[in-house]
Structures are given as C-alpha cells and as structure tokens.
Amino acid sequence: GAVVSQHPSRVICKSGTSVKIECRSLDFQATTMFWYRQFPKQSLMLMATSNEGSKATYEQGVEKDKFLINHASLTLSTLTVTSAHPEDSSFYICSARGLALVNEQFFGPGTRLTVL
Amino acid sequence: ELKVEQNPLFLSMQEGKNYTIYCNYSTTSDRLYWYRQDPGKSLESLFVLLSNGAVKQEGRLMASLDTKARLSTLHITAAVHDLSATYFCAVDANFGNEKLTFGTGTRLTIIP
C-alpha cells in the first residue's frame, strides 16, 4: 500500500515552454502533497505544500507564478513549470500524506526535467 | 529556521565494518525519518522515529533518536556492498505544517 506515482518520469523540453508533472496517490487519499526539487548531488528542497481544494503554500524563494501547483482531487496534484529555462533543470519529487497515514510521507519516483 | 546536519557527508568503508551516521537538528522535534536514495532514483523510506529513545532495526541498519540531544544515528553493522547509497535524515519540526527539512545527505560507498 501507500504508492505514489509520477508522470512523466523524464522530460526534455525547449527553453520557454511549459511542462506539467503529475503526482498521484494510487491506493490512498492524499490530503496533503509536497513538491521537492533536487539538484545533482544535493539534498531535497521543499518547494511547496498543497492541500486538496486550496491554494498551495510556497517556500521562500520559490516563484508561485513560475511553478503552478494544482491539487484538484484527493489523489492528484500537478506541478506546471511555466516558461522553463535551463536553470529549472532538476529532479522533481512529490510526496503525499494521507488521513490514515499522518506520520509519514510517501514519495513518488521523481521526474527528471531537462530544459535545453 | 530549522537546520539539519549530517555527519559525515561522504563515507567510504570496507565490507564487514561497522559505522555510524549522525544527524543533528536545531529545534525541538520528536519525528525523524531516515531515507535511502540510489543514484537517479527517488527516496526509499527506511525508518520512522516518533519518540525520544526510539530504536528501530532492519537488517544491518539500526536507527535511534535522542530528542533531548536533538540527535539521531543510523548505525551500519557488517556493511555489504548493497548498502552503498546516499542516506538522508529528515525532521518534522512539529510546527503543525507537516513539512520535512532534509539533512545534507551522507554518500556511503562500501568497498569490497
């Protein structure tokens, strides 16, 4: 149980385009989802926290107009990187926490974004 | 601001040896997590520590939590090559927002 999926697993796009990443909880309802970014050989940095049906809370320094987060249902959150640039290239990982699983976050497999 | 530091950042050890990774954090918390990450992969949950004095073991790995010292340890016993990975601790600072702050990570390499 407690499986989180992400799609796509890998995406390459041109500079200036937008990319959408989906995060799904497959076998539980995720009241809260988190989006992280990880640069090579570095730790995970939290970008934003999203709760179903409400606006995401962004961490300091994360541009909310550039990284659009939508948590439209209890099993799906999306991250859209708008007008992507090479410096946005990174490994994006989502995690989810459920009502019955409050003491743990379950991590998705990650999405490798490369912006050319 | 919560800070989470791991020590060492890099660790190269021979198979069969024992070693400990340390995770120090700067504010009160009684929820600490250990994860493993293989190259190019996401996180794999290893341990969830939810109270002072908590100790958990799985195979050759054992984790403990001392909330008074704000310290957690991940002990490796008789290391084998398969344990080579990067290990992260993460702290939930109980601010009511469920956010995790990750440590810097320890890159472990087990040499045959």
Side-chain angles (χ1 to χ4, degrees), chain A residues 56-104:
Chain A
T57 303
Y58 291 81
E59 294 300 298
Q60 192 172 5
V62 177
E63 300 175 60
K64 63 180 181 181
D65 294 330
K66 180 169 184 62
F67 298 100
L68 301 179
I69 292 172
N70 185 284
H71 192 161
S73 77
L74 284 173
T75 58
L76 173 64
S77 177
T78 60
L79 167 67
T80 301
V81 183
T82 62
S83 186
H85 291 284
E87 57 265 30
D88 298 323
S89 298
S90 188
F91 193 43
Y92 292 87
I93 305 174
C94 73
S95 70
R97 188 189 296 245
L99 274 174
L101 305 163
V102 294
N103 287 323
E104 194 165 0

Side-chain angles (χ1 to χ4, degrees), chain B residues 5-110:
Chain B
E5 295 182 347
Q6 285 180 236
N7 181 33
L9 297 183
F10 299 95
L11 177 57
S12 181
M13 54 191 291
Q14 286 185 318
E15 279 191 327
K17 299 292 186 182
N18 304 331
Y19 210 83
T20 300
I21 299 171
Y22 298 89
C23 174
N24 290 93
Y25 53 97
S26 63
T27 193
T28 303
S29 174
D30 57 5
R31 290 196 280 186
L32 189 138
Y33 307 82
W34 282 97
Y35 298 94
R36 167 183 172 143
Q37 186 177 38
D38 292 300
K41 305 290 187 181
S42 187
L43 301 183
E44 173 190 349
S45 179
L46 295 176
F47 299 107
V48 179
L49 304 171
L50 299 176
S51 61
N52 185 40
V55 177
K56 291 195 175 179
Q57 183 165 4
E58 181 72 34
R60 300 175 188 275
L61 301 179
M62 183 173 70
S64 66
L65 177 62
D66 181 343
T67 58
K68 294 181 180 178
R70 300 178 184 173
L71 170 69
S72 179
T73 61
L74 179 66
H75 187 73
I76 303 152
T77 302
V80 293
H81 180 69
D82 286 351
L83 290 179
S84 296
T86 299
Y87 293 84
F88 291 98
C89 63
V91 177
D92 181 340
N94 292 347
F95 291 145
N97 54 18
E98 308 173 340
K99 296 195 303 186
L100 291 182
T101 301
F102 279 81
T104 45
T106 296
R107 186 174 302 173
L108 174 65
T109 303
I110 309 295

Side-chain angles (χ1 to χ4, degrees), chain A residues 6-11 21 90-93 109-113:
Chain A
Q6 276 184 249
H7 178 80
S9 58
R10 187 179 295 268
V11 58
I21 302 170
S90 188
F91 193 43
Y92 292 87
I93 305 174
T111 296
R112 175 84 51 197
L113 170 63

